[in-house]
Amino acid sequence: MKIYLETYGCTFNQADGQLMTSILKEEHEIVNTIEDAEVIILNTCYVKLPTEQKMITRINTIKTEFPEKKLIVGGCMVEVDSKRLEKFAGDACWIGPHKIDKINDVVNKSINDEIVHECGKTSIIKAGIFNKNFNSLTHILQICEGCNGACTFCCTRVARGYLVSYPIETIVNEAKQAILNGCKELQVTAQDSACYGLDSGESFSELLNELASIEGDFRIRVGMMHPKSLRGQLDEVISVFKNNEKIYNFVHIPIQTGSSKVLEEMNRLHTLDEYYEMINKFRNEIPDLSIATDIIVGYPTETEDDFQKTIDLLYKIKPDIIHISKYMHRPGAKSNTLNEIDHKVMKERSHRINKVKTEVMLENNKEYEGTIQKVLITNKGTSGGFVGYTNSYKNVIVDDVEIGTFVDVKITEGKRTYLKAEKI
């Protein structure tokens, strides 16, 4: 059958889509347009309310415009909100994130007009066991799935379950194959990279060391690390970053709020002081470091004073990348029992914090002006030029370079979200 697969959401879910594609190719043909397909697979994201609404709209559009085609819904929506999915796509087949190895079975049953819902948690190992497409400059390297946290606002555990870490040897073998096939950037990804090995007894720092020891000229981007998971191994992880030039000097450590009270109510399981210690230690050991963090605006218990403390935190740590989300109830999240704050207040706070975000990120990037940077060129820019990344994972736009190469550039201008450069 001719199959079209459409994936939304995080890097991990993108990798799930790639895995399904590789499995499907064993029995079916993958097509690039929905019009050419006989079966449509929608690999959903469900982390935020706007994304939920987008998924519902997309399901309705597919069913309306292509009623003769078979629809299979996959991804996080299947596990997080089956009741809502039943309402909009109860007559379609479903496949949850832990059952993607069953995708050919689901497709074949769908073709025979059977309606199957492959859901539920398993301990499937997604690293190294499938015939993945390695012919890519960037390779997503899944190291574990699920988490051992219990943040009150999050529905990710509902979708992804408890932590399952994959064996180091399996992960490293997959990475080696990707490098042999021309990969220049390994993207280490998980729901929480720093909790890797807490269930299996293997070490996150050991995994990173093993990956950085692979022969070849490439870079490693380490995905989000939850502070509670990073706290007990901070020195070891910093040492790995410091002593391996293949690892980008970039860390994504979300804080969500600058209020100690709200942080505890979110059940983040670490303190503000511990967070500041992590950031300061990283910066002291790796001066050329970029930091990304996440902020939730308008958590139900957030007061104006709490919000101001978040503003103060951003001015204090000055992250290079700031992801801001307005709080919204999510299915299965513990905070759903709380009353949301007034939406006018939410909108006003979001506007204020986005002004801070613009100011802080622009200030950081301006400091790069006039510096010489080694950049890995990864792809063409959407508005011209080529996109690359510095050793500190700063996004650079430069002309007259070749994709897949390392080039030295001079930074000519710092913008809010990227650096303009000229080749030396």
Side-chain angles (χ1 to χ4, degrees):
M1 303 297 289
K2 294 182 178 180
I3 299 175
Y4 175 78
L5 192 148
E6 194 170 281
T7 295
Y8 292 85
C10 66
T11 304
F12 200 94
N13 207 43
Q14 295 293 327
D16 278 357
Q18 293 174 5
L19 285 174
M20 283 194 282
T21 298
S22 69
I23 298 169
L24 286 163
K25 284 181 177 179
E26 296 174 359
E27 297 185 24
H28 303 283
E29 178 186 352
I30 304 297
V31 295
N32 295 322
T33 64
I34 197 168
E35 290 79 10
D36 292 336
E38 297 164 283
V39 178
I40 301 164
I41 301 174
L42 186 65
N43 188 25
T44 62
C45 174
Y46 217 64
V47 67
K48 299 176 184 178
L49 181 58
T51 312
E52 171 188 334
Q53 295 166 338
K54 185 176 183 178
M55 295 299 95
I56 296 298
T57 299
R58 189 60 179 147
I59 287 171
N60 286 334
T61 299
I62 291 172
K63 291 173 68 91
T64 300
E65 295 184 0
F66 306 99
E68 76 286 358
K69 300 178 188 290
K70 301 295 183 182
L71 171 63
I72 298 172
V73 180
C76 289
M77 184 180 184
V78 174
E79 294 293 346
V80 173
D81 204 351
S82 59
K83 289 183 179 180
R84 190 157 170 79
L85 185 56
E86 182 70 43
K87 178 180 178 181
F88 291 96
D91 57 347
C93 290
W94 308 346
I95 184 164
H98 291 266
K99 296 295 186 76
I100 60 177
D101 56 328
K102 308 280 188 188
I103 185 61
N104 277 325
D105 292 338
V106 175
V107 168
N108 295 335
K109 289 177 179 177
S110 174
I111 294 166
N112 292 324
D113 294 324
E114 294 183 51
I115 296 182
V116 292
H117 295 165
E118 281 282 0
C119 310
K121 307 299 191 298
T122 70
S123 297
I124 182 175
I125 295 175
K126 295 180 177 178
I129 64 171
F130 298 119
N131 182 25
K132 296 181 181 178
N133 176 18
F134 291 104
N135 299 318
S136 174
L137 191 67
T138 299
H139 183 78
I140 303 172
L141 197 61
Q142 294 169 302
I143 64 170
C144 58
E145 185 164 12
C147 74
N148 59 355
C151 302
T152 58
F153 53 82
C154 185
C155 65
T156 299
R157 175 180 276 184
V158 179
R160 298 290 176 171
Y162 290 94
L163 177 64
V164 177
S165 298
Y166 308 150
I168 286 180
E169 183 179 3
T170 304
I171 297 167
V172 171
N173 285 340
E174 179 180 319
K176 286 179 178 178
Q177 188 62 50
I179 299 301
L180 284 173
N181 283 270
C183 169
K184 293 292 185 179
E185 180 178 293
L186 293 173
Q187 296 186 350
V188 171
T189 187
Q191 281 71 58
D192 170 16
S193 295
C195 73
Y196 174 83
L198 296 180
D199 60 324
S200 65
E202 293 195 293
S203 162
F204 179 50
S205 57
E206 180 187 351
L207 169 63
L208 294 181
N209 266 323
E210 290 285 336
L211 291 173
S213 298
I214 298 173
E215 292 186 6
D217 199 3
F218 62 94
R219 293 292 179 267
I220 300 169
R221 190 196 73 180
V222 178
M224 187 275 283
M225 297 182 287
H226 193 303
K228 69 162 183 59
S229 303
L230 180 61
R231 175 180 51 200
Q233 54 183 328
L234 181 63
D235 291 340
E236 294 89 342
V237 172
I238 289 176
S239 177
V240 173
F241 274 75
K242 184 178 180 180
N243 295 315
N244 289 293
E245 63 177 14
K246 290 178 181 176
I247 300 177
Y248 283 120
N249 293 332
F250 166 81
V251 291
H252 179 191
I253 311 176
I255 183 60
Q256 308 299 359
T257 177
S259 163
S260 293
K261 173 181 73 71
V262 175
L263 194 68
E264 184 175 354
E265 290 163 344
M266 288 177 168
N267 199 37
R268 293 285 286 170
L269 304 178
H270 66 90
T271 67
L272 270 180
D273 286 342
E274 287 172 333
Y275 185 81
Y276 285 128
E277 179 186 4
M278 293 176 203
I279 297 302
N280 289 336
K281 274 194 171 184
F282 258 109
R283 280 184 165 151
N284 287 338
E285 294 295 325
I286 309 171
D288 182 26
L289 180 76
S290 291
I291 295 174
T293 197
D294 301 350
I295 297 294
I296 292 175
V297 174
Y299 187 78
T301 62
E302 180 186 83
T303 64
E304 176 60 29
D305 181 61
D306 294 323
F307 175 72
Q308 185 58 52
K309 288 176 180 176
T310 300
I311 297 274
D312 294 342
L313 176 140
L314 293 180
Y315 278 127
K316 184 175 181 179
I317 66 173
K318 295 186 176 180
D320 297 85
I321 300 173
I322 306 169
H323 304 291
I324 296 174
S325 300
K326 296 177 185 175
Y327 174 84
M328 295 176 184
H329 285 335
R330 301 307 302 129
K334 294 180 181 179
S335 58
N336 284 3
T337 59
L338 303 172
N339 293 325
E340 293 185 1
I341 68 172
D342 184 272
H343 284 202
K344 289 183 179 179
V345 174
M346 178 92 72
K347 184 176 180 180
E348 188 267 343
R349 288 180 184 171
S350 180
H351 178 71
R352 283 160 59 194
I353 203 166
N354 271 289
K355 288 181 66 176
V356 176
K357 169 183 175 177
T358 296
E359 178 184 339
V360 169
M361 290 175 60
L362 180 60
E363 178 185 335
N364 285 343
N365 283 349
K366 285 291 184 183
E367 293 182 1
Y368 279 76
E369 291 180 351
T371 63
I372 306 300
Q373 302 287 331
K374 184 177 182 180
V375 174
L376 169 60
I377 307 300
T378 58
N379 55 282
K380 285 187 176 181
T382 55
S383 302
F386 293 85
V387 178
Y389 291 91
T390 69
N391 289 338
S392 56
Y393 208 65
K394 286 286 184 178
N395 194 348
V396 172
I397 304 296
V398 62
D399 292 323
D400 301 322
V401 291
E402 184 179 343
I403 293 175
T405 62
F406 289 88
V407 297
D408 290 328
V409 303
K410 181 177 181 180
I411 306 302
T412 57
E413 185 178 5
K415 298 287 191 178
R416 181 176 68 90
T417 58
Y418 66 94
L419 307 174
K420 293 181 69 175
E422 57 186 23
K423 183 180 177 181
I424 296 176

